[in-house]
Amino acid sequence: MRWARILGQRFRSLFQRSTVDRELEQELEIHLAQLTREYRESGMPEAEARLAARRAFGGEALTREECREKRGTGWMEDAGKDLNYAARMMAKSPAFTLTAVLSLALGVGANTAIFSFMKKVIFELLPVREAEQIVKVSRKNMLMADMNAFNYPLFRDFQNAKDLPFDGFIASTSFGRSTLLTESGAEPVQGDFVSGNFFEVLGVRPALGRLFTSDDDVKPDGHPVVVLSYNFWQRRFGGDAAILNRVIRINNFPFTVIGVSAQDFDGMDPGSSPDYRVTFSMEPSLAGGPTGQSSLPQRGSWWISVYGRLKRGVSYERAGDMLQPLLMRSFELAGQGKPMTDFRRKVLATERMFVEQAAQGGGGFRQRYERAIWVLMGMVGAVLLLACVNVAHLLLARASAREHEFSVRRSLGAGRGRLVRQLLTESMLLAVGGGAVGLLVAKGFSRMLLGLLVSDRAHSTLNASLDGAVLTFNFAIAVVAGLAFGMIPVLRASAGKQMDSLRGTRAGSARRMIGRKLMVSVQIALSLVLLAGAGLFLRTLSSLKGIDPGFRTSGIIQMSLNPAGYTTERTTAFYREIVERIRALPGVQGVVASRQRVVSNSSWGSGIRVAGFTTREGDRGPNRDAIGPGYFSVLGLPLVAGREFTAQDTATAAKVAIVNESFARFYFGGESALGKLIGPGGKEDPDITIVGVVKDSKYRSLREDVTRFWYVPVEQVPTFRGGTLILRTSGNQAQVINGVRATVAAADRNIALFDIKTVESQINENFSMERLLAMLSAMFGGVAALLAGTGLFGVLAYSVTQRTREIGIRMALGARPAQAAWTILREVGWFTALGLAAGLGLALACGQFVGKMLFGVKPNDSATLVAACIGIAVVALAAGLVPARRAAGVEASVALRTE
Amino acid sequence: MGKPSELIQGTVDLLILKTIAKQPMHGWGIAKRIEALSDEVLSVGQGSLYPALHRLEQQGWIAAEWKDSDLGRNAKFYGLTREGRKQLEKELTSWRRLSGAVQLVIERG
């Protein structure tokens, strides 16, 4: 209770100061009046009594002052005065204030923007109950280090096993592109399969209606209910609560909307959110179709991600060990009755279960961006440091100008602490100003980052909002920065001898300049690191852009579609029909259907059997695609031998394949591949005849090495449903796309087109991170060089002013102007060289960290480093030129007269 | 009658706390009461009285209130808070120990 009373008192003294002062006055006045009365009553005349009372009373002003002091709020009042004074000082020199606040705002804002991403992508816990218990369940073997992929029966085994140290297992998997049917047509949407207990185990609450329970995930195809994500509910249905209990059609299958998941819950991969979730029970109808196979009962399909809630106090090692027997048993059940190669047995022996913490989620989004975000954080950290050094330069220059002011104040009795407080107040005011403007910078900057980084805007839940933690971070670094650069002039001011300045001598200033020049060296070092980074990332981007994909990219558009639920016959007829009609559209030079998209990071791995060839142990095998007639001429990929697939390569015709050069060379060496027999892995007798060899090309991404590849006709793949249309166009692409939409809708209005993109924009998208890094590092590198240049210029200009007298004397003694200029340039040389040396070391050290993100250039690439050094040297020279000329122009007589 | 002795620094707090222990008093009253109780030996001048009162108030030992007074006008009355009462006990104990010790030295010396 006492502290409350004390706090109340302080509050009163601070904010009701005039009342408190008035009360004190009254109190003292009463005392004086009583004293006077006493004297009067003892018989003194009125005037005399008053005088006597005054005498006895003593110094009233002193008492009043002492009482005020006892209030213990003096320092706050001082702070108020300091603040007032600091604000006035800043208003008086707007150029200084603006420069300082803006450079600080730039540094702080950039850091805040990156931090807000970092927080969302790296640090933030999943918005679920006791997130720290959530673990990712994974397996590894001698071939693969980390696989979060399991078969569905094994997941059920986990759930049903007794005595496992888990409070539940959950599973989810994306089933990607699906079609939402509405009155207006078919729309592409993205969905996830989840286990019925998904929301229960995580402790996620509904924003509307209810979420799944285990009862919604029992009978195959028995639970046509769907939970929408908040993002999708808002985006597609405008947050209309009437959506509840309505029936929506997904892949032409009716689902009842039972609820909407919580707003902040994206899923296990924060940053992007699927549109809806259904339980695994609905997989047969949604993904399988009438002839397609359901993956649910298959122990050979490793397609779902498993997470668990680990009981408290259980180590990850123990948890993994306890899951191990279930994994081994699943392999046994899967392999029953099938022969097993020695190699397979060897791989199986190294299969291990392990769990790892997944409190922040465990998705690819984070893996993809984590390193880039750290690199960006490093860059903006360096920029902030540079900005701080620049502000310190400014403050130092000002401190020199204010030396006289401080000396006067000190000789008038201002304590050292009082002056320090004054200086710190000024720095803090700058810091807070910089922080405030920095918020605006952060806002704009994170918008820009979002635009560059996120290609799938619709499903992204990243936003440029600034929450409490980000605000705190922003002002915390602003204040730390303020303290850091604020301390420098403080140390100087408190060390300075007042008399020197009052006398007007400039002794000691030469020594002090060393600190400032070292600061310039630091700036040069940091700028070099940023410039070198910019060079590396720019070269990476240009090497990536220079990659020859092997086919002609211009004018090619890809789009995906999924006629789920079609029979094989209907699928064949459908594709034949739309390809025929699209080919007739104006602006279309060629069109073909295929299973895969090119340069989209997706592939269809396959085992292979080649007649007369024994595959080496552990060989990953080639990749494969199913393609329509004329595929290679549409892509502009030349055939080396044989023929393309034609309309005659139907389901009933002889089985044929086309292979690429790498494939032919690998399996047949010098022999011709034509006429050789191959087949998918597992089958006994290869029965597919190679009819063509095509030139090598990039397939999944431009970064990859060319892989062995084989192609089969789409019509000879009975499971072919969802696929890609590849068009070569000339002229207006928008018009062509509209034509394709209309054509597909005319064939079946329930089929949606997904991801309609030109190959060129697809490639650009694939390089979005590299482009982002190249752009930002170039930008920051430029800013850094500019900051270092201005810093250097300021120091040299000041140095010339300081040394005018010395230069004047030298001139008088016969030195030539060139020699005077040389003195200055030599100085530039020294400190630039020092900065460059330090910067090179730093750049090489940082290079190790970004090595993995580069392409076509080594982190210690000498050309890049030399170019960066030259860049800095040019900036330094430019900054040194004007001061050097000024030094050369010093007139001996004038210089000596001014002293 | 000799001049009243100036007080040792630090005992003022004790005297003030003790004086207002029975009932809240204003500054003038406190000064007068200390003089009266000490047979006019001790005098607390305003120069030490008011700063002491303000310090004790800031420390939360005493609380003030403006009330009608015997002086014919409103005056600021200081009274002990609960914590102030405890503080008074503490200061009394230490004072007794101190004065007892001084006494001993004088008697035995």
Side-chain angles (χ1 to χ4, degrees), chain A residues 345-592:
Chain A
R345 203 166 281 127
K346 240 194 279 178
V347 174
L348 276 189
T350 62
E351 280 279 353
R352 283 287 171 278
M353 290 293 303
F354 67 100
V355 304
E356 52 195 343
Q357 74 97 21
Q360 294 99 339
F365 192 83
R366 182 175 168 203
Q367 278 169 6
R368 180 155 181 234
Y369 290 113
E370 185 165 0
R371 192 171 277 263
I373 288 178
W374 280 111
V375 169
L376 287 176
M377 199 74 207
M379 285 190 208
V380 293
V383 169
L384 179 62
L385 197 56
L386 274 165
C388 282
V389 175
N390 248 39
V391 177
H393 278 314
L394 287 173
L395 282 174
L396 274 177
R398 251 166 78 85
S400 317
R402 289 169 66 185
E403 218 152 83
H404 192 73
E405 173 201 335
F406 286 128
S407 302
V408 170
R409 290 179 65 173
R410 286 186 72 168
S411 27
L412 288 180
R416 186 175 141 171
R418 194 70 188 68
L419 281 185
V420 167
R421 252 172 20 209
Q422 170 68 47
L423 279 169
L424 277 184
T425 307
E426 293 183 23
S427 308
M428 281 300 115
L429 196 62
L430 278 183
V432 171
V437 182
L439 278 184
L440 299 178
V441 175
K443 192 96 185 160
F445 190 53
S446 42
R447 282 234 181 84
M448 185 184 113
L449 277 176
L450 269 183
L452 286 169
L453 209 56
V454 178
S455 51
D456 183 5
R457 232 38 95 68
H459 298 101
S460 167
T461 55
L462 287 180
N463 52 42
S465 72
L466 303 169
D467 62 10
V470 174
L471 281 178
T472 311
F473 175 84
N474 181 76
F475 283 102
I477 59 168
V479 166
V480 169
L483 274 178
F485 64 63
M487 275 326 280
I488 295 171
V490 163
L491 292 174
R492 201 184 121 104
S494 52
K497 294 185 196 73
Q498 62 201 53
M499 290 319 288
D500 284 354
S501 175
L502 279 181
R503 265 194 245 115
T505 57
R506 279 163 175 178
S509 47
R511 178 179 52 79
R512 283 184 219 138
M513 288 298 288
I514 290 190
R516 295 187 59 181
K517 284 167 191 161
L518 281 178
M519 274 160 50
V520 170
S521 296
V522 169
Q523 285 188 307
I524 284 175
L526 288 175
S527 323
L528 179 71
V529 174
L530 288 177
L531 273 189
L536 291 177
F537 287 125
L538 284 172
R539 287 196 55 178
T540 296
L541 190 63
S542 88
S543 336
L544 285 173
K545 284 192 164 164
I547 297 171
D548 176 16
F551 56 90
R552 286 188 290 124
T553 54
S554 64
I556 294 190
I557 304 175
Q558 302 188 91
M559 58 197 79
S560 300
L561 67 173
N562 186 9
Y566 274 24
T567 61
T568 305
E569 292 72 29
R570 195 174 165 201
T571 307
T572 304
F574 169 76
Y575 278 107
R576 278 187 192 175
E577 182 190 338
I578 58 168
V579 164
E580 207 53 51
R581 286 202 196 159
I582 290 170
R583 188 173 291 131
L585 291 174
V588 175
Q589 295 180 325
V591 57
V592 64

Side-chain angles (χ1 to χ4, degrees), chain A residues 1-2 5-6 9-10 12-13 20 22-24 26-35 37-38 56-60 62-63 66-68 70-72, chain B residues 26-28 31-32 44-55 57-64 66 70-76 78 81-83:
Chain A
M1 280 315 286
R2 191 182 151 219
R5 189 166 281 134
I6 293 175
Q9 286 289 349
R10 294 286 148 91
R12 215 168 102 81
S13 327
V20 175
R22 204 169 52 239
E23 284 184 10
L24 175 62
Q26 276 179 24
E27 216 178 356
L28 294 177
E29 189 207 306
I30 289 174
H31 199 106
L32 186 64
Q34 289 302 320
L35 215 53
R37 206 178 70 188
E38 237 175 37
F57 192 79
E60 192 193 337
L62 191 68
T63 307
E66 259 180 66
C67 287
R68 276 203 201 109
K70 298 297 181 223
R71 287 178 208 154
Chain B
H26 48 68
W28 170 256
K32 282 282 118 186
V44 186
Q46 57 87 18
S48 45
L49 176 66
Y50 289 100
L53 283 172
H54 281 243
R55 187 178 62 243
E57 192 184 0
Q58 287 292 346
Q59 287 172 339
W61 307 136
I62 65 178
W66 284 86
D70 52 328
L71 310 175
R73 56 188 291 186
N74 260 355
K76 198 176 176 188
Y78 296 91
T81 63
R82 190 135 42 93
E83 297 82 13

Side-chain angles (χ1 to χ4, degrees), chain A residues 778-811:
Chain A
M779 193 172 100
F780 291 141
V783 168
L786 199 69
L787 287 177
T790 49
L792 186 61
F793 173 79
V795 171
L796 290 174
Y798 183 70
S799 164
V800 170
T801 318
Q802 295 278 304
R803 294 170 64 179
T804 305
R805 188 159 175 241
E806 174 202 330
I807 297 170
I809 292 174
R810 286 200 197 179
M811 296 284 214

